[in-house]
Structure formats: C-alpha cells, structure tokens
Amino acid sequence: MLGTGALRAHLLAARLAGTVATSREVSLRSYRLFAARDPRVTIGLDPERTWKQHDLIALMADRCGVSGDPRHTSGPDVIDPERTLAALDAFAERLAEAARNRSPVLLGTGHPHRLIGFYAALADALSAAGCVVLTPAHGDRVDITTRFGLRTYNLDYVRGVALVRAPGVPGAGRGAGVHTHSPLPVRAALASAADAGGPLPDLVVGDHGWVCGAGQLGFEAIGLGDTDDPALFVGEAEGRVSVVVPLDDAVRSDYYRPLTRYVLNRACLSQ
C-alpha cells in the first residue's frame, strides 16, 4: 500500500501540490470573474452569498493553501500537500460508503486528456463492488458556448466515465475528448436519467462543471479542483459539494496513478 509519506513526496515531485504550474495571475483572474458571477467561472454553481475577490482569496487560502495576501499578485501558485492528503482521505471515505451501499454513481470529466485514467479506475472498482455505473444520454448532443462561439459536442463514455467530443471524431468510446468547464454535460446526463425513470446517481464524481452542476441540482458530488477553480471550493463551503481535493488538474496523466492507488486502497476498493 502506498503510504502517506510516499504520496506526499510524489505530490511535491510531480507538482500536483507544493509549487504548481497554475499561476497566481490566472487564479486571481478566476476569482475576479467569479465575484462578478461570470458563468465561465461559476460553472453551474449559483452562489448563495456574495463572494468578493478578497473572500475568495481567503477561502482558497483555507482550502488549498494558496497565499492569503491579496498583495501577492504574480508567480506560481502553491497548494498545501497536507490539505490534498486530507481531502483524498475524505474522497476515499465517500467512495467506500458508495461501495458499501452499492450506490448508483455517475462519473464525468472536463479534463479527459489528463484524468480519464483516474476516473476510469474508480469506475472499474465501484462496478466490481456492486455499484451501477450510470451512462445516461450516451451519444446525445450538447451545445456549449466556447470562446470560439457555440460548439456542438456529443456525450460519450470511456470505461464508464462521461466526456464530450466533437461529432465525427474517430475512436468514439476509446479516445479522449474535449476539455470543458461547462455544467451542460452533467445537466444533460441527469435530465436523461430522470426522463428514463432512473436510476439517478447517489454520487457524482468528477471535476469542473460535473461537480458544480450536479451539486447545484442537489446531487452529492465530489471531485478535484485546481487553484483557479473557485466554484468547487465555494460549493464545498456552501454545502453543495461534499469533497474537493485541491491539486493541479493538468499534469501528465501518469502522475495521477499513485493517487489512484492511494484512494482505492483507502477506500478498500483495490482489486
């Protein structure tokens, strides 16, 4: 079993935590946009309270370990590995509970190039434990507004993990899809499941809009969040997201494998 000390060392060496690639400038821009309730950054969450930029800096300092000094405006951001480890333990505990209850689960990612392997391993383990891994709205069209205008995608599943891809892309069901922060894919999946008479997920696992969109609709959601993803941590602070693991969500895909092993071991889901 991968121990806490070894995982902490890996987090720092892979820059999943410690000094990360996300810059302070990028994070502060996200906090400004969130404070203005820009939907590109709220990603499906409708905050209950008014969040100013200084509130978000304080929240992210508490939840992630970034600098709480608003005068710190440049350079790389920092994630406290102890906060990452604590959140991974809580994340694993929630997966273990879902496995014990054989709960229906929905997994989805807006970072398929980086995180599909992480989520697919969770889906495999939960399925083996008796959970139904849901795949609603498979193949359905999702129109998402991007910086390039309105784009049409299709909802697809790779090893039980939802993602979106451009229509006509070869290798559907196998290769990675499109990077997106949008909550529209999870809304489409949940609406399709409801229209079909269920089952609906007891737990949604993912990132970006998958977590915030599900949490906003009242579904329990857990996931991963970077320092420029304030919506997930606001959702956690306001009680609509159960667990957010602070880490860099865009490093090499193989760097997440030790986290996969750690989470599955902690959840007693190793096969």
Side-chain angles (χ1 to χ4, degrees):
M1 178 177 174
L2 184 67
T4 301
L7 183 58
R8 182 188 297 107
H10 172 73
L11 291 171
L12 295 172
R15 296 185 67 184
L16 285 156
T19 301
V20 295
T22 309
S23 71
R24 181 69 166 182
E25 294 93 331
V26 167
S27 294
L28 290 176
R29 178 178 181 274
S30 291
Y31 306 162
R32 286 194 297 271
L33 292 174
F34 188 94
R37 294 185 176 243
D38 188 312
R40 294 173 296 175
V41 182
T42 57
I43 54 177
L45 191 75
D46 183 13
E48 293 176 349
R49 56 165 285 193
T50 298
W51 290 86
K52 301 297 186 182
Q53 187 182 30
H54 64 84
D55 298 319
L56 294 164
I57 292 173
L59 174 71
M60 298 301 283
D62 177 64
R63 300 297 170 106
C64 297
V66 304
S67 172
D69 184 355
R71 296 169 297 180
H72 178 202
T73 59
S74 63
D77 245 332
V78 175
I79 294 175
D80 177 8
E82 298 302 327
R83 287 171 169 83
T84 304
L85 290 167
L88 282 170
D89 288 346
F91 185 95
E93 182 179 339
R94 187 60 194 90
L95 291 177
E97 182 182 346
R100 286 193 299 271
N101 296 334
R102 297 189 174 182
S103 301
V105 294
L106 175 65
L107 299 96
T109 181
H111 265 298
H113 295 84
R114 308 295 185 179
L115 292 168
I116 193 71
F118 174 77
Y119 296 120
L122 303 185
D124 289 345
L126 289 167
S127 178
C131 296
V132 176
V133 177
L134 303 174
T135 58
H138 193 177
D140 284 7
R141 168 177 166 167
V142 183
D143 293 326
I144 299 175
T145 300
T146 74
R147 58 181 174 171
F148 306 108
L150 190 67
R151 293 290 185 268
T152 295
Y153 300 106
N154 293 116
L155 190 61
D156 196 11
Y157 288 84
V158 174
R159 292 176 56 194
V161 183
L163 51 83
V164 294
R165 65 173 80 251
V169 172
R174 298 193 300 276
V178 173
H179 173 230
T180 180
H181 288 220
S182 175
L184 296 179
V186 74
R187 291 175 184 169
L190 293 171
S192 177
D195 289 345
L200 294 171
D202 287 344
L203 182 67
V204 176
V205 183
D207 46 59
H208 293 326
W210 285 92
V211 174
C212 292
Q216 181 64 37
L217 292 174
F219 292 88
E220 184 169 8
I222 63 176
L224 313 179
D226 208 332
T227 61
D228 62 344
D229 292 327
L232 284 88
F233 296 95
V234 169
E236 186 181 38
E238 292 189 344
R240 273 165 293 167
V241 174
S242 292
V243 180
V244 185
V245 180
L247 51 70
D248 190 321
D249 59 9
V251 302
R252 283 174 35 178
S253 58
D254 57 312
Y255 287 172
Y256 298 98
R257 290 175 189 161
L259 277 70
T260 306
R261 295 196 299 271
Y262 181 85
V263 166
L264 293 179
N265 280 324
R266 296 288 291 187
C268 299
L269 289 172
S270 296
Q271 302 177 45

